Amino acid sequence: MNGRRAAFFLVPMLFVGACTSTGEDDATDGDTSPPATAGSVDMGACEFDVPAGVEIECGTLPVPADRDDPDAGEIQLAFAIVRSAADSSAEDPVVYLSGGPGQSTLELVPQAFGLLYEPLTENRDLVLVDQRGTGLTEPSLACDEYSSWVRESLGSDLPPEELEAQAVRSLDECRQRLVDEGIDFADYNSAASAADLEDLRVAFGYDEWNLYGISYGTRLAQAAMRDHPDGIRSVVLDAAYPVDADLYEETPGNAVRAMEALFAACADDAGCAAEYSDLEQTFTSLVEELNASPAPVTVIDPTNGQRIEDELDGDSLVGFLFQTLYSTELLAHLPEIITAADDGEFGTIGLLLGALSQQLELVSIGQQLAVQCQEEVAFGTREEVAAAAAEHPLVEGFFEGAPTLGPGVFDVCDSWDAGEPGDGANDPVTSEIPALILAGGLDPITPPRWGEEIAEQLPNSYFVRFPFTGHGALPSHDCAVRIAADFLDDPGSQPATDCVDDIDSPAFTADDIEVEMTSFESEELGLTGLRPEDWTEVIPGVWQESVLASLVQRVVPGATAEQLLQTVGVQMGLTEPPQPVGELSAESFTWRLYRLDDLGQSVDLALADGPDGLLLVQLTTSPARNDVHRQEVFLPAVEALAPLS
């Protein structure tokens, strides 16, 4: 049943982590050497593509690898400063603390600037930093051995037990390589990262700044609040993770809670209940069926576009649902995806599994394990975690087979030898620093009650729960952006939260979809036309409602329609290129129209010969939403697209 691997290993543990409290008391007894200090900032070119129109300055700061030994070498901490477009920005910037642990911050700029970072730049500069061991910071603790194994094992016919053993061996190979390179895993923990932040603040000359943390980033923020409070003006904790939480023991129950909340949200929605009746029973029955007889699924290798035939069992389906519940934008699609799978259509699941696998390229698994083994695994036992999973039979198989998320993480950490946790590493943080705590009602990994627990320890905090929201409120809602902006402008006053009451339930059915089109002009694209007002422009000319619904409007210079269609046909495995299904005469051009179905997605394509090359408009959406999106998005976009004069 090789399908188990498809969900088990593609996404090990994104956006979750731990933090510790270590400081002067953690120094070795009798050590009289002075504390290690940072060097000076070195500004240079950014090592990533900077979005058009965004002012970003990049650099590195040398910080001590071992905070107790100034002679133990340095870490080159990579950072970037995004300048606010405000005429008069505040003097105290915001620092973005990514999750994971191990998630790169800087490497996400080209693909996610508008979603993750731009909302925090309205009134302030934004400091982006790759935490020690991650992203562009050197040395990197990325495990290419593991991510390469994931790709190479796609389509394997080996039994799950052997695949799990291979996963563990790939992690051990990574560990040995890092040790041979001189890495001391004990240097990679939240206290050290918090000290790095303080060094960066001092090097920049800021009197104080604000911290925004998401998931593990909230635990890093708590470490900074505890160890270096004087330079912190306020904190925003999004998808908050308490220092004293038992992550591995609590996650199976947290996952089930979120799944049941999704099923209840569908049952409470008249349209969803009618179209996808008894979604919970459909899902649980499908899990049993797939565990008894796995189904074929086509997974796309995101590195080369190759289509790989694999199998999906029930535990993998559970892992798929657990991971997709992170994404608020995908919640509306999940009833349709589950029901399609129940009807034998697994194309969308395979498509998303491929997309999820790509996230591994942006996660330093070595740093993740260094932190987790020190600060989370050290406070639990394999038996406790296994017993907790056994209390939730629906998800037990998934967590039992996940080498970095279930009981198996204890075996990995036994060989990783990451060091011992510092004093107080499992104690809740108390602080007078003003804090805004945001929680998503459908978050499968950091439930709202965790945010409430943190709020009890922070007397100057404000807790806001967002309905119908996954992992991270700020990337999900303009409402959360406004609340955070108000709080950052005046941390001493409770922000207005009325907009939370206006958050609608997900558009589970086509009847719930409402799209407003608005005009755009782009000098970079050389085009003018219409685009969906509430969809995010992820890169120039590509707007997304979600990863499953997108609109592309581009000029393809130097290409003919025949060449493009030939390429599309090869990618889809067609015996001949797609043929037109009609024409549309607009004011500027006559368009040739095509309709395709691929991997559970419906694609509308329009091509026309323009003065600067082939004009392309492409809508990709789900079959259930295609008619609405075609009428409200695709056709208006085709009719309006024209060269920018």
Side-chain angles (χ1 to χ4, degrees):
M1 293 189 294
N2 53 331
R4 175 187 294 267
R5 184 264 302 86
F8 277 13
F9 302 112
L10 292 185
V11 185
M13 200 171 64
L14 296 181
F15 302 120
V16 294
C19 131
T20 186
S21 169
T22 57
E24 296 178 359
D25 292 340
D26 297 321
T28 303
D29 291 343
D31 184 1
T32 59
S33 60
T37 57
S40 57
V41 168
D42 181 18
M43 304 303 295
C46 296
E47 297 184 30
F48 52 83
D49 293 333
V50 176
V54 178
E55 183 182 353
I56 300 183
E57 302 167 15
C58 295
T60 58
L61 175 72
V63 297
D66 186 338
R67 285 286 164 178
D68 296 324
D69 183 0
D71 299 321
E74 291 181 335
I75 290 171
Q76 296 295 325
L77 200 69
F79 67 84
I81 304 175
V82 183
R83 298 301 180 185
S84 173
D87 293 334
S88 180
S89 60
E91 295 182 356
D92 47 277
V94 179
V95 187
Y96 191 100
L97 306 179
S98 290
Q103 179 76 54
S104 174
T105 302
L106 299 178
E107 291 176 319
L108 274 171
V109 169
Q111 57 185 282
F113 179 82
L115 179 67
L116 298 180
Y117 306 139
E118 188 175 21
L120 292 166
T121 66
E122 181 177 347
N123 297 321
R124 287 171 168 75
D125 292 346
L126 177 65
V127 178
L128 306 176
V129 58
D130 274 340
Q131 299 156 30
R132 56 171 57 206
T134 73
L136 301 178
T137 286
E138 296 180 353
S140 167
L141 271 61
C143 284
D144 293 338
E145 296 86 349
Y146 181 77
S147 54
S148 295
W149 170 82
V150 167
R151 293 190 298 271
E152 293 167 1
S153 64
L154 289 171
S156 170
D157 58 1
L158 293 174
E161 295 78 10
E162 177 57 27
L163 289 169
E164 291 164 18
Q166 287 185 359
V168 173
R169 285 197 294 271
S170 71
L171 291 171
D172 190 59
E173 290 171 5
C174 173
R175 180 199 63 80
Q176 187 59 55
R177 173 181 57 80
L178 292 173
V179 169
D180 292 343
E181 293 173 359
I183 297 297
D184 184 348
F185 298 118
D187 294 339
Y188 294 84
N189 53 62
S190 300
S193 290
D196 294 342
L197 293 175
E198 177 65 3
D199 284 347
L200 197 60
R201 182 188 67 82
V202 173
F204 286 156
Y206 293 122
D207 291 333
E208 58 182 3
W209 59 12
N210 311 276
L211 305 181
Y212 168 84
I214 183 167
S215 196
Y216 165 74
T218 69
R219 290 193 69 161
L220 176 53
Q222 291 170 76
M225 294 167 73
R226 178 167 52 203
D227 297 346
H228 308 282
D230 292 343
I232 303 175
R233 175 176 173 266
S234 71
V235 298
V236 179
L237 307 178
D238 195 354
Y241 178 12
V243 172
D244 57 333
D246 295 322
L247 174 71
Y248 297 105
E249 186 175 345
E250 295 185 53
T251 295
N254 291 340
V256 170
R257 180 205 65 85
M259 293 176 187
E260 291 176 346
L262 171 71
F263 301 143
C266 180
D268 291 341
D269 181 281
C272 189
E275 192 158 343
Y276 309 110
S277 60
D278 205 353
L279 187 66
E280 182 171 8
Q281 183 60 50
T282 298
F283 181 76
T284 55
S285 297
L286 182 59
V287 170
E288 294 178 2
E289 293 171 8
L290 291 176
N291 274 333
S293 178
V297 61
T298 301
V299 180
I300 304 295
D301 184 339
T303 62
N304 55 24
Q306 181 182 358
R307 297 176 179 228
I308 300 171
E309 297 307 314
D310 210 329
E311 287 185 338
L312 185 81
D313 67 11
D315 293 333
S316 298
L317 181 65
V318 169
F320 167 81
L321 182 58
F322 171 72
Q323 188 67 34
T324 51
L325 279 168
Y326 278 56
S327 173
T328 301
E329 67 179 18
L330 287 178
L331 296 177
H333 297 266
L334 291 177
E336 180 184 353
I337 293 171
I338 292 169
T339 303
D342 190 52
D343 291 336
E345 172 53 64
F346 297 93
T348 303
I349 291 177
L351 183 70
L352 287 173
L353 286 175
L356 291 171
S357 73
Q358 194 170 19
Q359 296 180 10
L360 274 177
E361 303 298 326
L362 300 174
V363 178
S364 171
I365 299 299
Q367 192 263 13
Q368 182 181 102
L369 287 170
V371 174
Q372 292 300 96
C373 293
Q374 287 184 67
E375 303 178 0
E376 188 68 52
V377 172
F379 296 101
T381 68
R382 180 187 181 93
E383 292 72 24
E384 291 170 343
V385 172
E391 293 178 3
H392 303 282
L394 178 63
V395 301
E396 181 181 9
F398 165 64
F399 286 103
E400 282 185 344
T404 61
L405 192 55
V409 73
F410 290 86
D411 296 332
V412 174
C413 287
D414 283 344
S415 65
W416 206 260
D417 192 22
E420 298 297 324
D423 293 338
N426 204 36
D427 297 336
V429 172
T430 59
S431 174
E432 299 290 330
I433 296 173
L436 175 65
I437 303 171
L438 311 177
L442 290 172
D443 189 333
I445 190 74
T446 57
R449 65 176 175 82
W450 279 7
E452 293 172 330
E453 291 172 8
I454 292 178
E456 292 176 358
Q457 303 295 325
L458 305 178
N460 296 318
S461 65
Y462 310 102
F463 174 80
V464 186
R465 175 174 178 153
F466 292 82
F468 313 116
T469 302
H471 193 60
L474 202 74
S476 302
H477 300 293
D478 289 339
C479 173
V481 173
R482 294 198 300 273
I483 291 172
D486 289 347
F487 170 77
L488 290 170
D489 285 343
D490 185 8
S493 300
Q494 182 168 356
T497 60
D498 296 350
C499 60
V500 174
D501 296 332
D502 297 329
I503 295 176
D504 295 326
S505 62
F508 288 123
T509 68
D511 292 340
D512 298 326
I513 296 174
E514 296 181 1
V515 182
E516 293 288 337
M517 300 292 283
T518 188
S519 60
F520 77 91
E521 291 185 356
S522 172
E523 294 184 3
E524 184 174 2
L525 297 172
L527 296 172
T528 179
L530 295 176
R531 55 137 180 120
E533 184 173 20
D534 293 330
W535 293 19
T536 301
E537 188 174 17
V538 290
I539 59 174
V542 180
W543 291 268
Q544 279 191 353
E545 177 201 51
S546 72
V547 69
L548 296 178
S550 62
L551 177 70
V552 180
Q553 301 185 80
R554 303 291 294 268
V555 177
V556 187
T560 66
E562 290 73 19
Q563 291 171 333
L564 186 145
L565 292 169
Q566 184 71 36
T567 300
V568 170
V570 171
Q571 289 176 340
M572 296 179 60
L574 303 178
T575 57
E576 61 180 26
Q579 300 300 309
V581 296
E583 287 189 348
L584 189 153
S585 295
E587 182 176 345
S588 301
F589 304 102
T590 297
W591 296 84
R592 297 178 297 283
L593 305 181
Y594 304 81
R595 304 196 75 176
L596 310 167
D597 292 300
D598 187 38
L599 294 178
Q601 296 286 281
S602 296
V603 180
D604 281 283
L605 181 67
L607 301 175
D609 295 319
D612 299 317
L614 183 67
L615 290 171
L616 176 150
V617 179
Q618 178 180 310
L619 169 72
T620 304
T621 187
S622 70
R625 298 161 189 266
N626 179 258
D627 288 345
V628 173
H629 279 153
R630 176 179 169 82
Q631 294 298 321
E632 296 188 6
V633 177
F634 178 71
L635 293 177
V638 172
E639 292 173 345
L641 193 66
L644 185 63
S645 57

